[in-house]
Amino acid sequence: MHSRLSREFYQQDVLKLAKALLGKVFVRIDSGKRLAGMIVETEAYLGIPDKAAHTVGGRQTIRNQSMWEDGGILYVYFTYGMHHCMNVVAQQSNEPVAVLIHALEPLEGLRSMYPRRNAARKDQQLCSGPAKLCQAMNISKDQNGIDLVTNTNLWIEDHQIKVSGKQIASGPRIGVQYAQDWADKPYRFWIKDHCCVSK
DNA sequence: AGAGTGATCATG
DNA sequence: ATGATCACTCTC
């Protein structure tokens, strides 16, 4: 029960993975405490052709190196001088595609999330955005490049929560207006009517 | 609707 | 070396 997701799971097509991760449970051991949240919103970044992706045109930089690694590696980046965002790398090495974790429903360790989330007044505000959930789960560039298949402090579990295709909504990704013809592609996925998706 | 914040990137 | 940008969040 509650088995950890395997390498093969992460190596599937990035759009399929973005949908398959909905309902899975992200687990983080932070200072010996278990933090957990169910993934309720994701965004797929399709790599070299994707004008919204950090790896557009085959860009390979120090920042995005993790995206070039094998499926199951974590890609954490820092932006706007303030925020961290967390991605799960999909497919195979040298296919620089990833799924941005956009929102979680907090399940365990809420008491230790609140002090890091000054603006949060309700549980559903703790992890309802890509940078919010990194703050709540205490994720920073220190976790960039870790392997979710083998790491002892960070992984994703299957709790056998069934999310059917009917429960999944899709729409344009957030914050990628600059991406021209890729800006409107419906690569954002969320669980319909879930209280913890980003606003 | 606007500010905050500094790493990152392309250019040269 | 420099300047523009940014897969965001908060408060007004």
Side-chain angles (χ1 to χ4, degrees):
Chain A
M1 59 169 288
H2 295 190
S3 61
R4 181 193 284 244
L5 298 182
S6 67
R7 179 78 59 212
E8 291 71 26
F9 186 90
Y10 294 113
Q11 286 174 328
Q12 64 182 309
D13 171 82
V14 64
L15 283 169
K16 291 197 172 103
L17 181 65
K19 288 176 267 194
L21 282 172
L22 297 173
K24 300 297 188 287
V25 176
F26 186 81
V27 179
R28 157 100 167 117
I29 309 298
D30 180 49
S31 311
K33 277 185 155 48
R34 187 176 148 113
L35 310 175
M38 183 178 77
I39 298 170
V40 298
E41 181 179 1
T42 60
E43 287 181 0
Y45 285 84
L46 273 58
I48 295 171
D50 184 351
K51 295 195 180 98
H54 291 163
T55 50
V56 60
R59 280 181 198 166
Q60 188 165 15
T61 65
I62 292 169
R63 175 177 69 161
N64 70 24
Q65 180 54 37
S66 296
M67 280 189 75
W68 293 85
E69 307 293 339
D70 202 356
I73 300 299
L74 198 72
Y75 169 44
V76 183
Y77 68 89
F78 182 74
T79 190
Y80 291 104
M82 260 176 282
H83 301 300
H84 294 276
C85 295
M86 167 174 87
N87 298 252
V88 174
V89 176
Q91 300 179 192
Q92 318 282 326
S93 300
N94 294 315
E95 297 175 6
V97 299
V99 177
L100 176 65
I101 307 300
H102 222 276
L104 304 172
E105 174 191 346
L107 298 178
E108 298 176 51
L110 280 67
R111 295 292 294 273
S112 40
M113 294 179 188
Y114 269 105
R116 284 189 289 267
R117 292 279 305 118
N118 286 331
R121 297 285 169 267
K122 307 165 69 173
D123 294 354
Q124 66 194 55
Q125 298 170 326
L126 285 170
C127 301
S128 57
K132 297 179 192 178
L133 68 91
C134 283
Q135 200 174 17
M137 300 287 252
N138 205 17
I139 301 290
S140 69
K141 279 196 300 182
D142 291 349
Q143 283 70 47
N144 182 39
I146 72 114
D147 186 349
L148 295 167
V149 177
T150 58
N151 192 275
T152 53
N153 293 312
L154 210 48
W155 63 89
I156 302 177
E157 291 177 354
D158 188 353
H159 285 211
Q160 322 285 359
I161 297 163
K162 183 65 183 168
V163 179
S164 72
K166 278 194 158 162
Q167 296 170 267
I168 299 177
S170 65
R173 297 170 293 185
I174 305 295
V176 297
Q177 303 87 335
Y178 58 88
Q180 304 161 49
D181 50 318
W182 283 74
D184 296 325
K185 294 192 183 284
Y187 295 159
R188 172 172 167 252
F189 305 97
W190 64 95
I191 298 179
K192 277 181 192 165
D193 301 320
H194 198 287
C195 61
C196 298
V197 300
S198 62
K199 297 298 177 285

